[in-house]
């Protein structure tokens, strides 16, 4: 009789613990990437993220950082923004109003050699993109130099410039 009571209590305990759990094991192990996240906002165009399957090595790490940067700016997520940029750029977070954001990337040039030359641990990438400014229906075509640094085990955005020669 004691065994039956113990089994009954254990079953009730298990059932109680699983009532609040609405996610399956498959859902927990899925890795969410920016292109799987949809944020509805009728006031501006959704960004298209860079297809990470086309890259490997350092380039893949930089593309992942760029996708997270695009997502952070589009969603005005200061916490995500701070996690994907280096310390000098986090200081600008309080002033960042996230008005200009990237809609789509047309070209990534990893072979660029800007002048003046950035430090050895910084990777320059020229990115051609279509962007939009909040409150403006028009899109803009732009080309800027993005600088990335490997920090804390991941690539992070270190700076953006359109004033260097390349």
């Amino acid at each position: 009789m004691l065994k039956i009571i113990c089994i009954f209590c254990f079953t009730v305990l298990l059932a109680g613990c699983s009532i609040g759990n609405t996610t399956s094991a498959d859902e927990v192990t899925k890795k969410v990437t920016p292109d799987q996240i949809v944020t509805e906002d009728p006031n501006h165009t959704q960004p298209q993220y860079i297809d990470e399957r086309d890259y490997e090595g350092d380039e893949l790490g930089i593309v992942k950082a760029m996708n997270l940067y695009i997502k952070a700016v589009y969603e005005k997520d200061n916490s995500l923004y701070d996690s994907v940029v280096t310390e000098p750029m986090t200081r600008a977070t309080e002033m960042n109003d996230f008005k200009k954001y990237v809609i789509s990337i047309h070209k990534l040039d990893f072979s660029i050699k800007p002048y003046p030359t950035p430090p050895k641990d910084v990777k320059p990438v020229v990115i051609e993109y279509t962007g939009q400014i909040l409150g403006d229906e028009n899109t803009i075509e732009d080309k800027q130099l993005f600088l990335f640094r490997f920090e804390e085990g991941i690539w992070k955005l270190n700076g953006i410039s359109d004033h260097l020669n390349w």
Side-chain angles (χ1 to χ4, degrees), residues 40-69:
E40 294 299 325
D41 189 340
N43 298 326
H44 52 287
T45 307
Q46 288 252 355
Q48 297 174 358
Y49 298 95
I50 307 164
D51 188 351
E52 295 175 359
R53 295 173 295 182
D54 296 337
Y55 300 91
E56 57 186 36
D58 289 343
E59 289 181 3
L60 175 60
I62 289 170
V63 165
K64 285 181 177 187
M66 190 65 198
N67 278 339
L68 289 173
Y69 169 78

Side-chain angles (χ1 to χ4, degrees), residues 65-151:
M66 190 65 198
N67 278 339
L68 289 173
Y69 169 78
I70 292 168
K71 180 182 183 310
V73 172
Y74 177 73
E75 295 181 359
K76 299 179 184 179
D77 185 336
N78 283 324
S79 175
L80 179 58
Y81 178 86
D82 287 347
S83 75
V84 74
V85 299
T86 60
E87 192 272 329
M89 289 191 65
T90 60
R91 283 186 260 144
T93 301
E94 293 175 9
M95 300 180 302
N96 195 348
D97 54 11
F98 299 121
K99 286 188 178 179
K100 180 181 175 185
Y101 69 99
V102 174
I103 295 172
S104 63
I105 303 287
H106 307 293
K107 183 179 179 185
L108 296 162
D109 185 353
F110 293 93
S111 66
I112 200 69
K113 304 288 186 224
Y115 179 82
T117 305
K120 284 185 176 186
D121 63 339
V122 172
K123 299 277 188 192
V125 181
V126 172
I127 300 178
E128 292 180 31
Y129 64 92
T130 299
Q132 190 169 15
I133 297 174
L134 291 177
D136 188 352
E137 293 178 6
N138 299 318
T139 59
I140 52 174
E141 301 293 321
D142 207 350
K143 177 179 175 179
Q144 289 184 292
L145 178 67
F146 285 70
L147 302 170
F148 294 88
R149 173 175 276 144
F150 194 74
E151 191 174 273

Side-chain angles (χ1 to χ4, degrees), residues 18-31:
S18 65
I19 287 174
N21 185 6
T22 59
T23 58
S24 69
D26 288 339
E27 290 176 45
V28 173
T29 59
K30 285 182 183 175
K31 193 171 187 180

